[in-house]
């Protein structure tokens, strides 16, 4: 009896460890404002789905299409997919370092500015102005642009964004094929997506730099320097990998589901 009682503290510690880790991950999700970001991306996605309705369904998707789109852009599922990637990359001291950086300024302020800019740049006029601002500075020795260029390079952000976009596009085509709305081999899909690689890379670079110039415009130079320094730490690098992996996987799932939904509606129209 005495031996079994002595085991209780150890058992409680073993049970508490996963609970504590889960709680700290919840804190990270909160300080990164991932739910707010997911809602912005959901709005973007609904707008994209409206364009798909016009381009591929002749605007005849109707209420059924909207119901399908709402189910596909599930913010809870998006957050959980990103959270799973964060759990794979960030544990122990790395997790605590990220929480610490984003719990105080400039990290906390940066998250707010990034989400605000992402919401604003959905407006075509704002996007055009942001791209134009980057075009004016591109190739110059502007110090703020130089810091942003270092941020982009430290996270390999252009190539990672292009890769995620291409993977999502392949998944959309795969959804069409699996939904019997198109006939393409795997090679056909890859060829179709990679055919405009240079154009996609240039467009991604223009959008990304324009967005970051917009987002970080209220920051002091020293705050951007602090952000750059954090991005180069093991914790910053792990966070970058997790976010690209998590959001990339989420977009792949969404794109495939959109492809299947488009196929379903195309076939329904033919009946």
């Amino acid at each position: 009896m005495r031996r079994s009682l002595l085991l209780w503290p150890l058992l409680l510690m073993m049970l508490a460890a996963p609970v504590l880790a889960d709680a700290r991950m919840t804190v990270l999700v909160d300080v990164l404002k991932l739910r707010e970001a997911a809602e912005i991306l959901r709005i973007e996605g609904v707008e994209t789905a409206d364009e798909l309705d016009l381009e591929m369904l002749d605007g005849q998707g109707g209420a059924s299409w909207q119901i399908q789109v709402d189910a596909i852009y599930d913010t809870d599922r998006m957050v959980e997919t990103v959270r799973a990637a964060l759990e794979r990359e960030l544990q122990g001291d790395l997790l605590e370092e990220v929480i610490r950086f984003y719990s105080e300024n400039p990290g906390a302020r940066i998250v707010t500015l990034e989400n605000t800019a992402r919401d604003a740049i959905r407006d075509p006029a704002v996007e055009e102005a942001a791209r134009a601002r980057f075009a004016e500075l591109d190739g110059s020795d502007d110090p703020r642009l130089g810091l942003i260029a270092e941020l982009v390079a430290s996270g390999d952000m252009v190539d990672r964004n292009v890769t995620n976009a291409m993977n999502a596009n392949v998944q959309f085509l795969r959804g069409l094929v699996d939904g019997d709305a198109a006939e393409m081999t795997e090679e056909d899909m890859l060829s179709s997506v990679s055919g405009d690689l240079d154009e996609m890379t240039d467009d991604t670079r223009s959008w990304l730099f324009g967005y970051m110039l917009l987002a970080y415009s209220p920051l002091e130079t020293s705050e951007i320097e602090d952000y750059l320094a954090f991005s180069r730490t093991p914790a910053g690098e792990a966070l970058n990998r997790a976010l690209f992996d998590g959001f990339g996987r989420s977009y792949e799932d969404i794109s495939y589901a959109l492809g299947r939904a488009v196929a379903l509606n195309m076939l329904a129209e033919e009946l």
Side-chain angles (χ1 to χ4, degrees):
M1 183 69 175
R2 185 180 180 84
R3 288 172 59 88
S4 64
L5 285 175
L6 289 174
L7 287 175
W8 274 107
L10 177 60
L11 289 172
L12 288 173
M13 289 174 63
M14 293 174 64
L15 290 170
V19 174
L20 177 60
D22 188 64
R24 295 305 287 165
M25 186 56 62
T26 298
V27 171
L28 178 61
V29 168
D30 289 342
V31 298
L32 291 177
K33 297 187 177 181
L34 289 183
R35 294 192 181 281
E36 180 180 301
E39 177 59 23
I40 295 168
L41 297 179
R42 185 195 70 80
I43 295 171
E44 286 182 3
V46 170
E47 292 171 350
T48 298
D50 289 342
E51 294 173 6
L52 283 175
D53 181 22
L54 291 174
E55 294 172 5
M56 303 191 71
L57 303 176
D58 297 323
Q60 300 301 307
S64 174
W65 174 249
Q66 291 303 319
I67 291 172
Q68 293 170 68
V69 168
D70 287 341
I72 289 169
Y73 284 98
D74 184 322
T75 54
D76 287 340
R77 187 163 57 240
M78 292 168 67
V79 170
E80 287 308 310
T81 301
V82 177
R83 178 176 176 137
L86 291 169
E87 289 173 343
R88 288 191 295 271
E89 290 286 349
L90 293 169
Q91 299 175 4
D93 291 343
L94 293 182
L95 173 59
E96 294 306 320
E97 286 179 40
V98 176
I99 291 175
R100 184 163 51 250
F101 181 79
Y102 286 100
S103 295
E104 55 192 32
N105 289 327
R109 189 177 182 209
I110 286 168
V111 170
T112 297
L113 291 173
E114 287 176 342
N115 281 350
T116 300
R118 186 65 187 247
D119 190 35
I121 208 169
R122 291 188 301 106
D123 184 332
V126 174
E127 179 181 347
E128 182 179 354
R131 287 178 183 268
R133 177 58 177 160
F134 169 59
E136 290 174 6
L137 297 175
D138 194 15
S140 74
D141 58 358
D142 181 83
R144 184 172 291 261
L145 178 64
L147 287 173
I148 289 175
E150 290 186 64
L151 267 172
V152 170
S154 72
D156 195 21
M157 294 182 188
V158 173
D159 286 346
R160 287 178 185 270
N161 271 295
V162 169
T163 298
N164 280 354
M166 291 179 65
N167 289 341
N169 288 344
V170 167
Q171 288 302 317
F172 178 77
L173 294 176
R174 185 169 287 124
L176 288 176
V177 171
D178 289 350
D180 296 324
E183 292 185 8
M184 301 178 74
T185 64
E186 191 75 14
E187 184 177 341
D188 291 335
M189 287 186 276
L190 294 174
S191 177
S192 174
V193 168
S194 62
D196 57 355
L197 177 59
D198 290 341
E199 180 181 347
M200 182 183 293
T201 300
D202 289 342
D203 182 67
T204 298
R205 179 173 179 269
S206 173
W207 184 93
L208 181 62
F209 274 87
Y211 160 73
M212 294 177 78
L213 283 167
L214 173 66
Y216 307 146
S217 59
L219 294 175
E220 299 292 335
T221 299
S222 61
E223 293 177 300
I224 303 178
E225 290 172 341
D226 289 344
Y227 192 22
L228 176 60
F230 170 75
S231 76
R232 289 171 168 166
T233 64
E237 291 173 351
L239 174 64
N240 185 66
R241 287 194 302 271
L243 290 176
F244 271 106
D245 179 50
F247 279 111
R249 190 160 302 184
S250 181
Y251 270 111
E252 287 181 32
D253 292 343
I254 287 170
S255 295
Y256 179 80
L258 278 175
R260 287 298 299 261
V262 168
L264 174 66
N265 284 269
M266 290 175 68
L267 295 177
E269 288 180 6
E270 295 176 3
L271 296 178

